[in-house]
Amino acid sequence: MTRREPAYDAVRRAGVLRVSRPGTEWLSTGWNGGRQTADAVYNVTVPDGWNRTDLDTYIAERLEQAGFAEASEHEQGQPDVGPALLTGAKQRDACGARCGSVTAYATAGISNPAALPMDPDEEGEQPVSAGDEQRPGYGTVNIIVGTTKALAPGALANLVAVTAEAKAATLLAETGYPGTTTDAIITGHDPTGEQVSFSGSGTDVGAATRACVREALRATLRAHYEGCNSELPNAVSDAPYGVSTEIRATVFQPAFED
């Protein structure tokens, strides 16, 4: 890794990774996600046995404990805290990568893999019994991507898809699984940068994102599993919190009109 300052600066402190760039518009798939303009976003490691449900309060407490409470203020005087992701993976294993206009950061653990077999056992639709509740597992793959370009609204949303695709391809190659049950992504762009209409895999931004996600994710996986006693699960049954989608959906074609 070089020591040249990345366009999206990052620092780790007290189990929190802060990624910052003033005036960035972010799009998050994590807790309380969506679009938000803020100077920084966060990746927060939760402890073993964590069971808090007041997530806004918990995140605010963790940012204050880490000394990241110096957020800018809204006109109403409320802290302008950017999106935050939660994970069981340690921030000591966080890794970053940059290419062109893009910088990416990742943490990863695969104790809760989500397998998608192409020949599932069950015939027909079955109800999903796990419910809608999603909590950070002891692994989780969290990725934060930022570009210095100014992306069109659709291009910022598409960057989430490009990041997810790169994450799945990398994880399949490294672990055999496309993801975990709790993966999350934040993408960001600089509204004052050079205007870009598209972010697909064939564009400069999309290609750079794919490369950054691949390198950062592979590096953090190595750091995570070389630095602890756990091993990558060889099967979902070997993982403490893994799932496999063994149901089949019903296939149909939409109506056709001349």
Side-chain angles (χ1 to χ4, degrees):
M1 299 182 184
T2 70
R3 294 185 179 274
R4 183 170 63 85
E5 197 73 13
Y8 283 77
D9 191 22
V11 62
R12 293 172 289 177
R13 190 188 301 159
V16 179
L17 170 73
R18 180 184 67 182
V19 179
S20 58
R21 182 178 177 86
T24 299
E25 183 186 23
W26 307 94
L27 178 57
S28 171
T29 71
W31 160 252
N32 203 18
R35 290 178 183 264
Q36 181 180 349
T37 298
D39 293 342
V41 295
Y42 306 89
N43 190 14
V44 181
T45 296
V46 300
D48 292 351
W50 181 80
N51 60 3
R52 293 276 294 268
T53 57
D54 54 337
L55 300 188
D56 281 334
T57 299
Y58 177 78
I59 290 169
E61 291 173 356
R62 290 294 305 277
L63 298 190
E64 183 176 2
Q65 292 168 7
F68 294 141
E70 68 280 6
S72 59
E73 301 289 326
H74 287 306
E75 292 181 0
Q76 297 88 348
Q78 297 300 315
D80 182 16
V81 177
L85 305 180
L86 298 168
T87 180
K90 306 300 183 183
Q91 299 304 324
R92 70 189 179 202
D93 300 329
C95 291
R98 60 175 170 265
C99 179
S101 70
V102 176
T103 305
Y105 296 93
T107 55
I110 315 294
S111 59
N112 53 329
L116 182 63
M118 292 296 104
D119 189 21
D121 294 334
E122 300 292 336
E123 294 290 342
E125 299 180 25
Q126 298 290 330
V128 178
S129 59
D132 294 329
E133 186 72 11
Q134 177 166 292
R135 304 292 297 278
Y138 291 103
T140 302
V141 177
N142 283 347
I143 300 175
I144 299 171
V145 172
T147 176
T148 57
K149 304 294 187 181
L151 301 182
L156 180 60
N158 186 67
L159 199 61
V160 173
V162 171
T163 300
E165 179 187 74
K167 178 213 71 170
T170 302
L171 288 178
L172 281 169
E174 295 291 320
T175 73
Y177 304 105
T180 79
T181 61
T182 51
D183 295 347
I185 291 168
I186 297 175
T187 59
H189 76 124
D190 183 350
T192 67
E194 178 187 351
Q195 296 288 322
V196 173
S197 298
F198 303 102
S199 62
S201 302
T203 67
D204 290 345
V205 170
T209 296
R210 284 156 63 92
C212 286
V213 171
R214 179 186 62 204
E215 312 308 351
L217 184 48
R218 294 182 73 191
T220 194
L221 279 170
R222 288 194 297 269
H224 180 75
Y225 284 101
E226 288 174 0
C228 67
N229 295 325
S230 60
E231 298 180 353
L232 284 168
N234 293 319
V236 168
S237 58
D238 297 331
Y241 312 100
V243 301
S244 179
T245 304
E246 298 292 345
I247 59 173
R248 289 183 182 270
T250 300
V251 177
F252 64 93
Q253 288 187 300
F256 179 81
E257 295 181 356
D258 291 329

